[in-house]
Structures are given as structure tokens and as C-alpha cells.
Amino acid sequence: MSEVHIVVLGGGPAGCGAAYQLRKEGKAKVTLIEQTQMLGGNSGSFEVDGQYLDFGSHRLHAACDPEILRDIKQMLGDDLAHRDRHGRIRLRDKWLHFPLKTTDLMMRLDKPFAFGAAWDVLKRTLFGKGDEGTTFASVLKANLGQTICEHFYFPYSRKLWGHEPDKLSGIQAHKRVSAGSISKIIKRLAKPPGAGKFYYPRKGFGQISEVYAQEGEKLGAKIKMGWSANKVVQLQGGGFDIELVNKAGDKENLKADQIWSTIPVTILSKMIEPSVPQEVLTAAEKITYRSMVLVYLSLPVDQWTTTDAHYFPEKDIHMTRISEPKNYFGLQEPKGQTIVCAEIPCERGDAIWNMSDEELGHLILQDMATADLPIHEPSKVFSKRLPQAYPIYTMGYENDLNAMDNWIDAIPNLLIYGRQGFFAHDNTHHALYMAYSAVNCLDSEGNFDHNRWLEYRDIFATHVVED
């Protein structure tokens, strides 16, 4: 019997992880399709002036599945560092260490904020937390109290997703806020996840996806970069005919027994033939993403600060986070230069999205001044744009997502998974876990165990983002 041919759409962690694992297990012939010339997707990396940069701040968390972490360690070797986290959050004009530390909170936390949070805890102890409701606002208020919500989570959520907290689904609170209750905050203070450490590759976070692809190629996977799926035709008797196109407009066709897609489900739904039902297309139009502009400033110093990432929930600062990639691995080179990356959530096509690099540079320097951060005249400013940075869970979004999910699930031999495929708030270790889980559902003859996959999906539903 000939080997089943699986075409993986998307070269992010979920796609590269599946390509590697499928070949490692010898379960399928694999072709991975990536539309750009870079692997990793939003979790990719690129080099500028001798520095490896990411698309925003990324790190591999200690919560990573042991088997996956073992593979990554084996593949990267000395190129994988295990580092202490040194983040900072600016809360009511005061800097707090992130992850939170008990002694730091006692010394630096704004006193009115501390008293307000304590009063919220006392009220909940005396009267109970009350009904959670169904919105992001009601869920967090019931669990964390008014003070933490009004001064931290609500302003941060307005910046991050561009919606009022009461217009967002409560699911967003459960999926996105890892410390979603006072008891969880206390547990994290007593025992920080991963002992306050993280993993990071020497050549940027995208090196994880790159090494998965490289090892997958050694085992026989074909990695086809610079091509994207333009049309997916279902064939009678099973399988697919995929029309590929590159930037030059060249086209070619590829036959597949199965398609494993990690690309945004909204994009996938528009390329499948026979034509997609109108109700599914309508549902796809209602699924929305928050975009992001990444602003990179090259500064003429060895090191800007000792902090890996600064967080800004306040509304008077445009960026939500600024990171210094050299600090993530602890690199000393190049001397006399470091590049920082500021993240500004926005809507595709709005004023922020359309700003020039010069305008964006001035905006970030203004933010630095507002936050009392060190200011150096940048020698270079450039930007990157992510059209689909974060999924937005507006009220009732799950109905539209389920309509799309049910339709795709009814198509034989088509699998969706990964952060973009599932429209999920997930970390890279979650995406890789999905990839490994999918491979576990495929037997040696190419048969996919859908019942086992549903069991895995129940596990995926419990994933909560690690910040």
C-alpha cells in the first residue's frame, strides 16, 4: 500500500511540528506549504544588522509537554537557553516585577490599589463572588473584584482587543487570563509557573519552527516555501486537488490524500470547492481578528535596560508591550547596538496601521517619555504589520465559529488545528501539542481516528494562555 500523502498548510509551529512528527513516525508522505520565504508565521524570526528579531515578544514556557520539550532540546542543543524572566508592568505609574513577586508587591504596589484589592477580597469572602455572567467584564469582576479589573485588566483589554470589556465574551476571560482568580494569583506568587523561567533559542523564537522543518526535511518531508493554496477542490472518491500560486503568479497543482490546515479558518473556508454554503461564508465574515503594528527602534547602546519586556495597561500609552530581544538569550553582540520592539494593537487600515515608520518612531519615543524609560535617538526605525495578531471573542462569536467548524468537520480528510486554524488564544507549546496529538490520531495505514481527536479537542479547550 502506497504512503498516504498529507499536505500541511502553513509553516508556523503547528505546521512544522506536524511535518516533523509525521515523518519521524513514518506515517505519511508530507508536503508543507508556506506562502512566505520564512518559517514560523507570527512566531517567526528575522535578522537585521546582526540581531535576530521576533514578531513581538515570544518565549517557550515551562508548561510545554515533556515529549515536545525533549524534542526541542535535542534539536536545538546549546542553542536553547533556560532563562530567568525579568519583565515589568507599569501599574498606576509604578513599576512591578513580572511575573509578580510577593516582596516586590509589598514594597512597590500603589497603596490605594492595594487597599481596594484587599477590600474586594474581603467582600467576596463575606458575601461570595456572585454570578459570573457571560461577558469578559462580568467574569473577571466576579473572580478578581472591581479594583484589579478597573485599573489593570479592563484598560489592557481595551487596548489589546479594541472593544469594551462588556462587549467581549466571557470565554475570552477564561482562555486569556491565566491568573483569573485571587486564589490563582496567590498560588502564582507562592510558586511561579516554571519557577519564573522560560526557554528561548539563540537565533530568535522562529528557530523552533525552523529546526522542526529542517529535521522534518532530513526525514523526507518536502517544505515548499513562497507558495500559497489558492483553491482546494474536493475530488470524487476522496482526496483533494490543490491549486498553488506564488507571488509571480505562477501556478501548479498538487494532489493530496489529506489536508492538515493551520491557516486562518476564515481564509480556508473561502478557497474550498464545491462552493461553500452561504451561511458558512456569512459566519466567516463575523469572525474578526485584532491587527498589530510592530515598531523596531535600533538604539546606539549595548543594552537599553536589563528587562526583557515591559507591559503597559494604561490608556495614556499607545503600546501594550516593548521587548529587547538581546535580553531573551542573554547575548552581548553586537556591541554598541540593540534593537527594541514595541507592539501597538490596531485595526487593519486605521490611523496607526497607516502611519509611516518615522511617525511610528516618534509615537514610541513619546510613550517612552511618558513611562519614564531611557530615551536614545534611534539610528533606524522600521515596522512590521500582523493582520491577524489576536482573535477577538465578541459576544456570540462561538455560534459563528461552530457553524464553520461543523461544516469543515463534515469534509472527509480535512483537518484544522493550531492557533489560527482553531481561532484560539494559544501559546506555541499549545500549537505543538495539537500537532503531536493529530499525528497520534493517524495510524500506520493513514486512517485518522476522529473519536480520539475529539478527546484531544476537549483537552485543547482547557488551554489557557501563559503570559
Side-chain angles (χ1 to χ4, degrees), residues 90-381:
R90 189 171 184 264
L91 183 62
R92 291 169 64 91
D93 299 327
K94 293 183 181 295
W95 287 108
L96 299 173
H97 188 276
F98 188 78
L100 298 175
K101 293 184 176 180
T102 304
T103 53
D104 189 65
L105 285 175
M106 293 173 64
M107 294 175 59
R108 301 179 184 274
L109 187 61
D110 177 74
K111 294 303 183 289
F113 179 90
F115 289 137
W119 174 240
D120 290 337
V121 172
L122 179 60
K123 285 192 295 184
R124 176 173 169 172
T125 302
L126 294 174
F127 307 113
K129 75 173 185 177
D131 183 23
E132 280 195 354
T134 59
T135 72
F136 180 88
S138 63
V139 169
L140 286 188
K141 271 190 177 181
N143 286 284
L144 293 174
Q146 179 104 4
T147 303
I148 294 177
C149 289
E150 294 294 347
H151 293 282
F152 179 72
Y153 280 112
F154 290 177
Y156 200 58
S157 67
R158 290 185 185 100
K159 290 171 67 173
L160 204 60
W161 297 302
H163 289 266
E164 286 298 316
D166 61 356
K167 302 300 181 185
L168 296 170
S169 169
I171 299 172
Q172 191 124 24
H174 291 298
K175 293 287 290 180
R176 191 61 182 82
V177 182
S178 55
S181 68
I182 296 296
S183 62
K184 288 182 179 179
I185 292 176
I186 294 172
K187 287 178 181 178
R188 283 172 171 260
L189 285 171
K191 188 177 181 181
K197 291 178 175 287
F198 67 96
Y199 294 93
Y200 191 80
R202 183 185 302 273
K203 296 181 179 180
F205 197 72
Q207 192 178 1
I208 292 175
S209 295
E210 292 166 6
V211 75
Y212 266 108
Q214 291 164 5
E215 294 301 316
E217 280 188 301
K218 291 178 183 178
L219 295 169
K222 183 177 181 181
I223 310 296
K224 194 170 178 66
M225 299 173 67
W227 293 82
S228 60
N230 185 52
K231 187 188 300 182
V232 175
V233 179
Q234 302 175 64
L235 301 175
Q236 290 186 351
F240 303 90
D241 185 4
I242 307 169
E243 181 184 83
L244 303 177
V245 62
N246 62 17
K247 285 190 175 181
D250 302 320
K251 294 182 179 180
E252 65 177 61
N253 287 73
L254 183 66
K255 294 289 195 301
D257 297 308
Q258 297 180 26
I259 293 177
W260 289 15
S261 176
T262 71
I263 67 176
V265 64
T266 52
I267 295 176
L268 176 67
S269 65
K270 296 174 183 177
M271 64 176 64
I272 296 179
E273 296 185 5
S275 59
V276 181
Q278 184 56 50
E279 59 268 24
V280 175
L281 291 176
T282 300
E285 293 297 328
K286 295 179 182 179
I287 298 297
T288 57
Y289 292 85
R290 186 70 159 159
S291 301
M292 182 174 287
V293 173
L294 303 170
V295 189
Y296 300 85
L297 284 73
S298 181
L299 306 178
V301 293
D302 290 335
Q303 185 180 49
W304 180 52
T305 73
T306 58
T307 301
D308 46 48
H310 295 80
Y311 298 81
F312 307 92
E314 300 113 321
K315 64 181 180 181
D316 61 333
I317 294 177
H318 300 85
M319 58 184 171
T320 52
R321 179 168 54 187
I322 187 167
S323 54
E324 188 170 4
K326 279 177 76 172
N327 291 347
Y328 279 55
F329 192 85
L331 296 172
Q332 304 300 316
E333 302 291 337
K335 295 291 186 181
Q337 181 200 54
T338 189
I339 297 177
V340 297
C341 173
E343 305 171 27
I344 312 178
C346 62
E347 295 298 324
R348 190 173 185 176
D350 70 6
I352 295 289
W353 183 268
N354 290 324
M355 278 187 176
S356 67
D357 287 349
E358 182 180 2
E359 291 171 322
L360 289 167
H362 286 310
L363 193 68
I364 298 307
L365 289 175
Q366 290 171 12
D367 280 352
M368 288 179 174
T370 302
D372 295 321
L373 289 169
I375 296 177
H376 304 274
E377 188 64 29
S379 58
K380 179 190 296 185
V381 177

Side-chain angles (χ1 to χ4, degrees), residues 413-435:
N413 300 316
L414 174 60
L415 180 73
I416 60 170
Y417 70 106
R419 188 174 187 267
Q420 300 283 15
F422 277 155
F423 192 67
H425 285 282
D426 279 329
N427 301 110
T428 290
H429 66 277
H430 295 139
L432 287 168
Y433 181 76
M434 294 180 194

Side-chain angles (χ1 to χ4, degrees), residues 449-461:
D449 189 337
H450 286 277
N451 290 328
R452 189 177 184 186
W453 180 244
L454 291 176
E455 293 175 0
Y456 275 121
R457 289 199 62 170
D458 287 339
I459 297 174
F460 305 157

